[in-house]
Amino acid sequence: MVEGDKAQPAMNDGTRQVLEAIRRDHPDWQPEVTRWGEVQLRVGREDLQAVARALRDDHGFNYCPSETVVDYVKEGRFELDVRLFNLDTGAKLVLKSDLPRDDATCPTLAGVWATCKWHEREIWDMFGVRFEGHPDLRRVFLSESFQGYPLRKDFVDARKPRPRLVRQR
Amino acid sequence: MEAAVTRNRSFRDFLIYLYRAARAIVLGHAVTLKHLFRRPVTIRYPEEEYHATPWHRTYPALVIDEATRELKCTACMSCERACPPGIIAIERAQGEDKKTYPGEFWIDMLRCMECGICVEVCPFDALEMVPEYKMTAYHPDDGIFDKERLAVVVRGPKTPWPRRKGSYLEGGWPT
Amino acid sequence: MGGARTRPEPQTGARENVIELPVLAEGSVEEISGRTRQRARFRGDFEYPGDDFEGPNVNRWQYLPQTPPVEDLLVEEVREIEGNEREMVMNMGPQHPSTHGVLRCVLGLRGEAITRCRPDIGYLHRCHEKLNELWSYQGTIALSDRLDYLAAMTNELAFVLAVEKLLEIEPTERADYIRVICSELQRIASHLLFFGTTALDLGAVTPFLHSFREREAVYDVFEYISGARLLYNYMRFGGVRTDFPPGTDKKIREVLDLLENRLPEYHDLLSYNPIFAVRTQGVGVLSRDDAIAWGAAGPVLRGSGVAYDLRKADPYSGYEKFDFKVCVEESGDVWARFMVRMKEIEESIKIIRQALDGLPEGDARGQVPRFIKPPPGEVYARVEGPRGELGCYVVSDGSDKPYRCHWRTPSFHHVSLLEFVPVGHLVADVVAIIGSMDPVFGEVDK
Ligand code: SF4
Ligand code: SF4
């Protein structure tokens, strides 16, 4: 997926500046460029909050439209995927972090971008990733009495199937 | 409205507010009055019919070939496989001349989402969306349409949709 | 709403406390509680707390069917309310005519002033993202209509753009223009609905009828183009399903002319009506920083003075070819969000006219492989829907179904704003604030 500098024409100016700034200021972060022209950072979950804060304060990523988790059940990990944008320069960045499936916890980003409060509630609801330090970690769509986390790939619906009027595929 | 009064403290402001409100009421009524002289956009439904676009998608129907007076469907099962909610059920039968035809063909119209994907994938143009929107029934079982209920004769120009040529559906649905 | 439900204060000599309640004027306490007591006697089994004039500890949950479970309010909040004599809890929704669907708000009230608001969502949850993982790519286009059912075209567009990026195909030029026309018509239809429902929430019934009439005209065009009025299933990978049927150009232009005639009438009816202005100006102010931090998008963000529009900031489908301006209002209140939407209708009309003039000849359907099996990878595509940035994050594992499909829906975040925007306003203003966020619950609850 990552093609290095070959894919750079798709990058806009803001993203290019951010890439340079990150390479200059944080040599240990190892930014990559995705083929859609986004800077991608892969950080350990213990560094997540520090990196997020630096991105917001030093690089102007003030807008976080999407935060979600993908369940790679075969590899035994969740992948946290945070999309960041800079509203002023149009820079795009993806923040990735691997969370082990058997210890699905993650430091919260709600203190960095307030919108992550609800993103993380949704992730907790659907994947059961517990965000440490989250102010209000309740389920958002399902009721508190619901058992299990439905978007995990190994989720089994324990309820009786509803009768179908026409044969199911 | 309490807020309105408290926010306009002085008497002069209050008068200005009154004037503006009166003006707005007059303007609003003028708009309403104009509609006395416009044609109504509503129709009186049971007496008057709403004529939907000829290619309006209401439900998929089985097309009868007018020449042979048989269903065009050959029970190839493409539509059954492609229907996203999985509500088509076909039982394939074989005639004496080895041609297959649908022995039974059900569509659970209560769960049909009218997407038209079955029509697009049919390689024999044997399904067609019809613009009939009066589908009420007295019992849920009547919502499951069988072969007889689904059969229609389609006359005249119909769907301007991609059929077999020029789309990614060329040659039918991936099976 | 508040008057009948506010608990009359026990008359224990603490007159200052009585004055604090904004709904009760001095001296009317006796009268109101007397009247209510009569009603209570009539109902027999209902014990009204006003009967008990001496007791300081009346049960404040009496107006609710049960004590609010902890899942609605935080534990500390419940404790805080219990410790505070003056605060009561009111349940608004999920079947409230002004909540645009099934939003439930747990409101903490002091008199009629709101002290806290907890939006509670999920009543329309339909497992959208789970279904995406179970359905094929073609079926998912039809399914994405159901996400924000008032803007089906832009939902489809987001998904189709994402998968096109994965498949590395380009839509034909004509298809791009058709997509732009459809998205903008959709934006007009959605904003017209917003105009009507906002007016209805604030008690003006007539504008609702007017805007729905014009909205039907737009939907007639959609019916003519795609065969359906609300859920179109029209976009396809590499293009759109069908080219415009003959005569579409004329039909669309007729609708645009109609709209241009009718928009001044709307402004006469509602927008510049001082009563409406007083109900909306200065109400529900969302500051610029809050709007950005809480992920507000679209007209809500632009109403707070941020000139951010994906059609300009990150153009897709050839939006860079069209000349239009981003509508911004600085004040951040309900009125600003309303005006942004009304101006956007005009801009959309401009864009559609340009697109119709420049509509290139050619094929509206691209050449796409028969098997839609994107190579493994992931992509985030976003479009500017009528409600704001609609993002679609698709992960493919090379099979014919998405491995994961996440929707970033703007209304979800606009509902989250209700946690703090209504605080300090009256109950009647909550209705205006919810209306100005324009949430669609298909999209909030997914
Ligand atoms: S229209 Fe769609 S849902 Fe209905 S039968 Fe055809 S494929 Fe199935
Ligand atoms: S795709 Fe057409 S021919 Fe094949 S079973 Fe369905 S209706 Fe019959």
Side-chain angles (χ1 to χ4, degrees), chain B residues 62 72-80 90 105 118 121-127:
Chain B
L62 283 169
K72 281 191 183 177
C73 173
T74 60
C76 72
M77 310 295 214
S78 299
C79 55
E80 198 198 59
I90 307 172
F105 197 113
C118 51
V121 299
C122 179
F124 299 99
D125 291 357
L127 278 172

Side-chain angles (χ1 to χ4, degrees), chain A residues 11-20 37-39 89-92:
Chain A
M11 266 202 303
N12 60 24
D13 292 340
T15 316
R16 201 167 290 127
Q17 284 162 13
V18 163
L19 186 63
E20 279 161 21
E38 298 145 339
V39 181
T89 64
K92 310 177 188 178

Side-chain angles (χ1 to χ4, degrees), chain C residues 225-264:
Chain C
I225 294 172
S226 73
R229 293 182 80 82
L230 200 62
L231 307 166
Y232 312 106
N233 191 12
Y234 186 59
M235 305 282 174
R236 286 292 181 275
F237 308 121
V240 292
R241 189 181 58 201
T242 50
D243 207 339
F244 280 161
T248 311
D249 187 274
K250 186 162 150 280
K251 256 182 189 285
I252 296 178
R253 280 181 203 276
E254 274 171 20
V255 171
L256 297 185
D257 291 343
L258 178 80
L259 278 169
E260 273 178 352
N261 283 336
R262 296 289 162 83
L263 276 177

Side-chain angles (χ1 to χ4, degrees), chain C residues 140-302:
Chain C
T140 303
I141 301 179
L143 187 65
S144 63
D145 285 344
R146 275 86 183 156
L147 196 66
D148 174 358
Y149 38 79
L150 299 176
M153 282 289 184
T154 42
N155 296 344
E156 289 172 16
L157 186 56
F159 182 71
V160 163
L161 284 178
V163 178
E164 272 172 5
K165 275 192 189 175
L166 278 178
L167 286 168
E168 294 189 336
I169 50 175
E170 287 282 323
T172 62
E173 207 191 346
R174 185 174 172 88
D176 262 347
Y177 272 72
I178 292 179
R179 286 175 179 187
V180 167
I181 293 172
C182 289
S183 312
E184 294 306 316
L185 279 174
Q186 188 71 77
R187 192 182 315 278
I188 292 176
S190 173
H191 286 352
L192 284 176
L193 181 116
F194 160 81
F195 174 83
T197 50
T198 307
L200 199 62
D201 290 348
L202 295 175
V205 182
T206 319
F208 174 78
L209 301 172
H210 285 240
S211 75
F212 262 57
R213 181 190 56 202
E214 267 71 84
R215 182 170 164 261
E216 286 302 309
V218 179
Y219 278 179
D220 280 342
V221 171
F222 278 137
E223 186 189 334
Y224 192 71
I225 294 172
S226 73
R229 293 182 80 82
L230 200 62
L231 307 166
Y232 312 106
N233 191 12
Y234 186 59
M235 305 282 174
R236 286 292 181 275
F237 308 121
V240 292
R241 189 181 58 201
T242 50
D243 207 339
F244 280 161
T248 311
D249 187 274
K250 186 162 150 280
K251 256 182 189 285
I252 296 178
R253 280 181 203 276
E254 274 171 20
V255 171
L256 297 185
D257 291 343
L258 178 80
L259 278 169
E260 273 178 352
N261 283 336
R262 296 289 162 83
L263 276 177
E265 283 186 8
Y266 290 0
H267 292 314
D268 279 355
L269 271 178
L270 188 71
S271 310
Y272 297 113
N273 188 319
I275 301 172
F276 178 72
V278 160
R279 279 296 301 274
T280 53
Q281 282 175 351
V283 171
V285 177
L286 176 66
S287 73
R288 189 194 147 95
D289 292 345
D290 278 347
I292 293 174
W294 282 79
V300 178
L301 188 62
R302 293 195 280 278

Side-chain angles (χ1 to χ4, degrees), chain C residues 16-164:
Chain C
E16 315 83 66
N17 292 341
V18 178
I19 299 164
E20 259 189 31
L21 282 171
V23 269
L24 294 181
E26 234 179 317
S28 65
V29 176
E30 184 66 61
E31 197 191 314
I32 290 179
S33 60
R35 226 188 302 133
T36 328
R37 228 174 336 183
Q38 267 180 1
R39 224 183 292 141
R41 216 170 289 130
F42 177 68
R43 284 189 49 191
D45 55 351
F46 184 76
E47 243 184 69
Y48 196 74
D51 284 342
D52 178 16
F53 267 56
E54 267 77 48
N57 291 322
V58 287
N59 177 9
R60 65 190 55 253
W61 309 119
Q62 200 141 12
Y63 303 96
L64 295 172
Q66 64 196 52
T67 51
V70 176
E71 66 185 72
D72 295 333
L73 292 168
L74 297 187
V75 189
E76 310 88 70
E77 283 186 316
V78 174
R79 265 197 219 113
E80 211 180 299
I81 294 174
E82 301 230 297
N84 182 352
E85 261 299 299
R86 297 271 153 205
E87 194 165 338
M88 80 173 227
V89 175
M90 194 177 82
N91 203 10
M92 181 173 169
Q95 292 174 336
H96 189 279
S98 73
T99 50
H100 290 234
V102 281
L103 168 66
R104 171 164 165 255
C105 287
V106 182
L107 303 173
L109 295 180
R110 245 176 115 88
E112 212 182 339
I114 308 242
T115 51
R116 64 191 83 231
C117 177
R118 292 267 155 200
D120 179 20
I121 61 175
Y123 291 89
L124 201 61
H125 184 56
R126 296 152 303 165
C127 323
H128 200 281
E129 289 175 5
K130 189 80 184 171
L131 276 175
N132 284 161
E133 293 173 12
L134 302 176
W135 285 19
S136 67
Y137 281 94
Q138 282 92 352
T140 303
I141 301 179
L143 187 65
S144 63
D145 285 344
R146 275 86 183 156
L147 196 66
D148 174 358
Y149 38 79
L150 299 176
M153 282 289 184
T154 42
N155 296 344
E156 289 172 16
L157 186 56
F159 182 71
V160 163
L161 284 178
V163 178
E164 272 172 5

